[in-house]
Amino acid sequence: MHRFIAPGPFSIGSECVLDAEQSHHAVKVLRLVLGDQVGLVDGKGAFAQGRLVELKGRAVRVKVEKAGVYDA
């Protein structure tokens, strides 16, 4: 599963928009399509798993299906 850096916190059922650089990488480099499953991290310990629900221009939206926080 491919992982992307995205702004957290994440909650189940919410949607997250990837920034332009992450969106470009998802669509143009990895050639992901609607419905593909991806992982999200915020760099502060939060993580999520979700599916691509919109590939519009340079803004990819991910619907969060699972979310959590890494315990140290």
Side-chain angles (χ1 to χ4, degrees):
M1 174 182 347
H2 298 286
R3 291 181 180 86
F4 298 93
I5 298 171
F10 308 113
S11 59
I12 296 172
S14 68
E15 292 186 356
C16 181
V17 179
L18 301 181
D19 68 21
E21 184 178 337
Q22 298 282 312
S23 294
H24 172 81
H25 188 71
V27 176
K28 300 297 183 182
V29 177
L30 298 174
R31 300 194 185 280
L32 298 178
V33 296
L34 287 177
D36 281 350
Q37 194 171 44
V38 297
L40 302 171
V41 295
D42 72 352
K44 299 175 185 174
F47 64 91
Q49 185 176 328
R51 295 199 183 273
L52 301 180
V53 294
E54 184 176 3
L55 307 174
K56 190 174 189 179
R58 295 180 67 91
V60 170
R61 284 189 313 129
V62 178
K63 183 159 188 164
V64 175
E65 297 175 333
K66 296 180 185 177
V69 176
Y70 290 110
D71 289 329

